[in-house]
Amino acid sequence: MFITSKLRNGAHQRDAALRAFGETMDKLGIDQIDLFLIHWPVPGQGKYVEAWKTLIELRQAGRTRSIGVSNFNRDHLERIIGETGVTPVVNQIELHPRFQQRGLREFHLEHDIRIESWSPLGSGRLLSDPVIAGIARKHGKSAAQTIIRWHLQQGLIVIPKSVHQDRIVANFDVFDFELDAQDLELIRGLDSPDGRTGPDPATAAFLF
Ligand SMILES: NC(=O)c1ccc[n+]([C@@H]2O[C@H](COP(=O)([O-])OP(=O)(O)OC[C@H]3O[C@@H](n4cnc5c(N)ncnc54)[C@H](OP(=O)(O)O)[C@@H]3O)[C@@H](O)[C@H]2O)c1
């Protein structure tokens, strides 16, 4: 088991963050968590650096083994690293063949920050894409397995969501084939600046 949780947007202030973290640990019934993330930067609120400093404190106190962020753009990452000298181990961002985030990925490589892809299957919408279907047929795999394999070959951490046991099992069965250069080129062509399915981190302001 590797347990991750996140700090909600309305709890970026130090006191609120410590309280929220304590509640999470009580609910989980554990003393130390593996990874704790800031869910969204909410730049309009202006408190994500304070939240990051609190996570650093929690790591120093041994309450969480690692700390990271989610939905942080380059400017948000530069700010927390610049103000604390501490780099997040991961950033969990929306990433899938239709929204490949190539520029942001470069920055992560330079700073040794691992990316976790959220909505890795495009919230399921990419499963009917004809390009993906063609590549899947060629390898005798499903569309979901093809997309999951693409994430792995890009060096991304990929956690697809399913409520069906058979799909969860099938989604792990991706280590017996490899996408070739032609497949990767075709998937590269699916990238779109409008491909985002979720909120934009630069403007997302919800506090739950
Ligand atoms: N950090 C953030 O701000 C953030 C935001 C959004 C999401 N996330 C996280 O990212 C994870 C995944 O995101 P997501 O749920 O939006 O999208 P996703 O993993 O891209 O897609 C999930 C959808 O694909 C379907 N699916 C999964 N495996 C399948 C398979 N083998 N065959 C057919 N359909 C399949 C699921 O249906 P069934 O369940 O019916 O199988 C579900 O409808 C979640 O755990 C979520 O918590 C994080």
Side-chain angles (χ1 to χ4, degrees):
M1 296 274 283
F2 185 93
I3 305 177
T4 305
S5 190
K6 301 191 188 107
L7 183 68
R8 65 176 169 271
N9 297 346
H12 280 191
Q13 243 164 335
R14 184 177 177 277
D15 287 358
L18 291 175
R19 208 166 34 246
F21 180 83
E23 283 166 13
T24 295
M25 301 299 269
D26 289 346
K27 282 180 186 159
L28 287 168
I30 54 176
D31 296 323
Q32 188 192 51
I33 196 162
D34 294 306
L35 176 64
F36 198 64
L37 310 176
I38 301 174
H39 198 175
W40 291 82
V42 198
Q45 182 178 231
K47 298 212 183 309
Y48 63 85
V49 176
E50 182 170 345
W52 184 240
K53 286 180 178 165
T54 311
L55 263 60
I56 294 169
E57 242 184 277
L58 287 166
R59 193 187 58 183
Q60 280 165 349
R63 303 299 313 281
T64 174
R65 289 173 58 218
S66 292
I67 52 175
V69 293
S70 179
N71 299 301
F72 273 46
N73 286 339
R74 179 181 177 140
D75 57 325
H76 311 131
L77 291 167
E78 282 175 336
R79 186 144 175 237
I80 57 169
I81 297 167
E83 292 201 25
T84 66
V86 178
T87 303
V89 294
V90 298
N91 187 14
Q92 186 183 114
I93 55 175
E94 177 172 357
L95 202 157
H96 44 76
R98 205 163 282 153
F99 194 60
Q100 300 185 16
Q101 302 251 39
R102 289 207 284 262
L104 193 51
R105 276 158 67 187
E106 280 295 316
F107 181 83
H108 285 70
L109 266 181
E110 286 159 18
H111 290 265
D112 198 22
I113 304 169
R114 295 296 306 275
I115 294 178
E116 288 183 349
S117 304
W118 69 250
S119 288
L121 308 174
S123 300
R125 285 175 224 175
L126 274 169
L127 296 174
S128 53
D129 183 276
V131 171
I132 299 289
I135 299 170
R137 241 188 335 269
K138 171 173 143 187
H139 292 282
K141 294 301 230 180
S142 72
Q145 289 167 328
T146 303
I147 298 170
I148 293 164
R149 182 72 208 181
W150 175 81
H151 285 272
L152 294 174
Q153 287 185 218
Q154 305 293 304
L156 301 162
I157 298 167
V158 52
I159 311 174
K161 170 255 162 195
S162 177
V163 295
H164 295 100
Q165 190 177 354
D166 56 334
R167 289 179 176 176
I168 294 170
V169 171
N171 288 349
F172 275 104
D173 183 19
V174 292
F175 298 100
D176 60 352
F177 75 114
E178 194 160 351
L179 301 176
D180 60 31
Q182 190 190 14
D183 303 331
L184 296 175
E185 198 50 38
L186 284 170
I187 295 176
R188 195 178 167 91
L190 297 178
D191 195 14
S192 158
D194 305 324
R196 195 191 286 286
T197 63
D200 182 345
T203 52
F206 54 91
L207 294 182
F208 51 83

